[in-house]
Amino acid sequence: MKIRPLGQQGLATSAIGYGAMDTALGNDADYDAASISAIRRAHEAGVTHFDTAELYGWGKSERVLGEALAPIRDDVTIATKFGFTPAFTPNSRLDHVRDVVDNSLRRLGVDTIDVLYQHIHDPAVPIEDIVGLMAEFVDAGKVKYLGLSNTSAENIRKAHAVHPISVVQASYSIFDRQSERQFAVLEDLGIGLIAYRPLARGFLTGAVKPLEGYPAGDFRRNNPWWAPGNFKANLAIADELQVLADKRGVTLSQLSLAWLLARKPYIVPIPGSRNPERVTENSAAAELTLTPGDLAQIEGIAPRGAHV
Ligand SMILES: NC(=O)c1ccc[n+]([C@@H]2O[C@H](COP(=O)([O-])OP(=O)(O)OC[C@H]3O[C@@H](n4cnc5c(N)ncnc54)[C@H](OP(=O)(O)O)[C@@H]3O)[C@@H](O)[C@H]2O)c1
């Protein structure tokens, strides 16, 4: 697996990472065992970067990821995040964040978190104060590299002035192009981009279903890509991309991930899957190089991303 440097502080990860959010969704031993198999399959396929958060099952995902990676801890980098409440509102109060980080270390079963993110900007706490606290974690050896997620260019600049930020995490896929507006600040400051939801939550995989095909309570119910009026138009985009993928002899997931890798050398997508075969498929996208002709065709098919 190719390695990509992220930021200027020494962080380097496999070109494709692994997103462990869905490992939080089950609550029985079989579900967890399947998650652990998928995570270990990712490592066998060369993935060295694994992403989780306190939010994902309130520690559930961190515990499962920690257990899966325990035998290979030193081969991988683990990222986690603080800053959400159960009501999905921000909470980066400093005393609260201190507790969250200690809990994350304990649940992951590690001495050091490789990448610690603020998960979402909290307007109630100045970003300088938050990054000041995150820098204390670095000094104390609890954290190696700092990241911000779901934030603005202005916050990235303010944060970076307090302590170097190695990575920003944002939604980025052929369907969701908004984070391209942050390329300028990332390049200016030499910060890497972790692309979350790189397969558009499964829309860009060939396995997408209409909303009725997903369980009640699935996040996709509130996602405009699936909304009436948008779904068919977005399916047409996915179908055209599938034709291109077929021509190249790759899967739509691989085409979608390789497109992200081709956008910038400092981008690492973190697809999520609990299916070991899909994990292998997704990881293999790191070896796929799209031609300028492929990239132009993708631009022609989805010049502004999905219909929303
Ligand atoms: N910072 C943030 O605010 C934030 C927000 C959302 C997500 N994230 C991170 O980003 C990671 C990925 O995002 P995501 O899981 O929302 O979206 P995603 O990676 O775009 O898509 C995941 C979905 O696609 C399916 N899938 C994956 N590979 C497939 C393949 N080859 N063929 C068919 N289906 C496939 C998965 O189902 P199966 O498991 O059944 O394969 C799952 O339903 C998360 O795990 C999390 O770590 C961060």
Side-chain angles (χ1 to χ4, degrees):
M1 171 81 75
K2 289 178 185 133
I3 300 296
R4 291 197 159 193
L6 293 169
Q8 309 299 309
Q9 290 68 51
L11 176 63
T13 77
S14 52
I16 304 275
Y18 179 90
M21 184 172 73
D22 286 1
T23 64
L25 299 181
N27 41 28
D28 61 58
D30 287 349
Y31 190 96
D32 295 352
S35 299
I36 288 170
S37 298
I39 292 164
R40 291 193 178 149
R41 178 70 74 89
H43 178 251
E44 284 158 22
V47 171
T48 65
H49 187 66
F50 294 82
D51 184 82
T52 182
E54 180 203 36
L55 175 72
Y56 306 158
W58 297 102
K60 167 78 193 277
S61 169
E62 291 180 325
R63 274 192 294 273
V64 171
L65 190 64
E67 184 180 342
L69 297 178
I72 45 173
R73 166 65 189 110
D74 294 340
D75 298 352
V76 300
T77 49
I78 302 175
T80 193
K81 319 182 193 78
F82 67 83
F84 265 110
T85 69
F88 291 94
T89 53
N91 181 0
S92 284
R93 266 193 5 254
L94 302 187
D95 54 345
H96 173 67
V97 173
R98 282 193 182 90
D99 290 344
V100 176
V101 167
D102 284 340
N103 288 335
S104 291
L105 283 163
R106 184 174 42 74
R107 288 186 295 239
L108 286 164
V110 296
D111 299 325
T112 308
I113 293 165
D114 298 297
V115 181
L116 179 70
Y117 293 96
Q118 184 192 32
H119 205 156
I120 188 167
H121 173 61
D122 183 347
V125 188
I127 185 70
E128 292 86 350
D129 294 356
I130 293 158
V131 179
L133 176 64
M134 292 167 84
E136 284 177 29
F137 298 141
V138 175
D139 291 342
K142 292 182 179 185
V143 170
K144 274 196 191 144
Y145 304 106
L146 302 189
L148 300 175
S149 182
N150 303 309
T151 196
S152 63
E154 188 189 349
N155 278 322
I156 295 168
R157 284 192 190 281
K158 285 183 186 167
H160 195 76
V162 175
H163 185 283
I165 299 297
S166 301
V167 271
V168 162
Q169 186 172 135
S171 173
Y172 189 28
S173 67
I174 295 174
F175 266 17
D176 184 356
R177 312 285 283 269
Q178 289 190 54
S179 54
E180 291 178 354
R181 281 182 271 172
Q182 295 191 341
F183 284 173
V185 65
L186 298 179
E187 285 169 24
D188 190 23
L189 302 177
I191 295 173
L193 176 63
I194 295 281
Y196 79 69
R197 216 178 284 142
L199 299 172
R201 194 63 206 154
F203 214 123
L204 293 170
T205 62
V208 63
K209 297 177 273 193
L211 267 191
E212 310 80 77
Y214 297 102
D218 190 281
F219 304 124
R220 295 170 184 89
R221 295 199 175 266
N222 301 321
N223 188 310
W225 300 330
W226 271 266
N230 293 334
F231 181 73
K232 271 194 184 157
N234 289 330
L235 198 56
I237 294 176
D239 287 346
E240 279 193 69
L241 293 169
Q242 182 71 64
V243 171
L244 176 60
D246 291 346
K247 269 195 213 146
R248 286 294 318 260
V250 298
T251 67
L252 177 53
S253 309
Q254 290 172 332
L255 183 88
S256 304
L257 294 169
W259 178 84
L260 283 165
L261 294 175
R263 296 298 284 166
K264 297 287 176 187
Y266 54 82
I267 292 176
V268 168
I270 48 167
S273 176
R274 292 182 57 264
N275 175 312
E277 283 72 38
R278 290 176 175 177
V279 167
T280 305
E281 172 193 334
N282 294 344
S283 308
E287 305 311 319
L288 172 62
T289 304
L290 298 178
T291 65
D294 296 332
L295 296 170
Q297 278 196 55
I298 295 171
E299 204 55 35
I301 294 167
R304 280 175 299 281
H307 295 263
V308 290

